């Protein structure tokens, strides 16, 4: 990574050049989400109820379901069916349309939950995700520094 940048935002601690000093600016967690209408038609009160639903997967976050099931200590759970999508955005759209249940990072689904397009499934089982990290180049502009300050203040304690 050359130094021809102002700001770097990543979700991992691995692979950062030694000259950068990344700092955490936003926590995140993975929720199971679906359309409110799907839960009304087929409620989920306990983890075992997931077996009567369709799991929505995305190729861009291929391990999300495996990691969530492992986190919840229920690797043995198998869905009624599965659908796969190229991108997480498509899987989340399918969830909002009531086609099944997706795993979505809070940072991406918070607005849809607030607007009631999506709802939490088993909200007590939200899996922590790696935090977002931010770092500035030594020679970053004042505008980049202001951006970092704004971003950190906007995301503090949101997720």
């Amino acid at each position: 990574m050359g130094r021809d940048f102002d700001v770097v935002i990543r979700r991992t601690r691995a692979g950062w050049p030694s000259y950068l000093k990344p700092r955490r600016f936003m926590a995140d967690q993975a929720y199971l989400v679906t359309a409110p209408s799907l839960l009304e038609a087929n409620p989920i009160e306990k983890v075992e109820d997931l077996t009567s639903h369709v799991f929505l997967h995305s190729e861009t976050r291929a391990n999300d379901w495996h990691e969530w099931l492992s986190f919840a200590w229920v690797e043995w759970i198998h869905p009624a069916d599965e659908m796969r999508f190229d991108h997480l955005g498509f899987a989340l759209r399918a969830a909002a349309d009531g086609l099944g249940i997706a795993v979505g990072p809070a940072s991406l689904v918070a607005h849809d939950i607030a607007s009631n397009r999506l709802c939490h499934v088993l909200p007590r089982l939200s899996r922590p995700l790696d935090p977002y990290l931010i770092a500035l180049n030594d020679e970053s502009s004042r505008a980049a520094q202001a951006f970092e300050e704004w971003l950190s203040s906007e995301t503090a304690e949101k997720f």
Side-chain angles (χ1 to χ4, degrees):
M1 181 183 299
R3 292 189 184 217
D4 55 342
F5 63 90
D6 285 316
V7 179
V8 177
I9 297 174
R10 296 176 64 189
R11 186 179 220 144
T12 179
R13 293 203 178 275
W16 287 84
S18 60
Y19 62 86
L20 288 178
K21 304 295 179 240
R23 67 178 188 83
R24 178 184 165 144
F25 79 92
M26 185 174 72
D28 207 355
Q29 52 193 327
Y31 298 146
L32 295 187
V33 293
T34 193
S37 60
L38 184 72
L39 280 187
E40 289 171 17
N42 193 356
I44 298 174
E45 296 176 8
K46 56 189 182 303
V47 177
E48 293 81 6
D49 295 337
L50 290 170
T51 60
S52 64
H53 287 273
V54 175
F55 287 7
L56 306 173
H57 300 270
S58 75
E59 295 303 317
T60 55
R61 295 184 57 92
N63 292 324
D64 276 355
W65 267 108
H66 172 75
E67 290 170 359
W68 189 92
L69 292 168
S70 179
F71 167 78
W73 296 80
V74 290
E75 294 94 341
W76 52 269
I77 293 277
H78 296 286
D81 204 352
E82 298 178 278
M83 294 177 72
R84 298 192 181 282
F85 299 88
D86 288 339
H87 194 274
L88 180 60
F90 298 134
L92 293 175
R93 174 63 190 259
D97 288 343
L99 297 179
I101 299 170
V103 179
S107 58
L108 295 180
V109 300
H111 179 72
D112 286 327
I113 289 172
S115 66
N116 208 33
R117 271 182 48 79
L118 289 171
C119 63
H120 289 275
V121 175
L122 302 169
R124 292 188 188 137
L125 291 174
S126 296
R127 185 176 75 81
L129 296 173
D130 289 339
Y132 285 93
L133 304 170
I134 189 169
L136 297 179
N137 184 342
D138 294 347
E139 300 165 7
S140 289
S141 67
R142 178 64 194 129
Q145 293 169 13
F147 171 73
E148 178 196 26
E149 291 168 17
W150 169 81
L151 188 61
S152 295
S153 68
E154 284 295 309
T155 58
E157 305 304 319
K158 271 201 175 171
F159 304 105

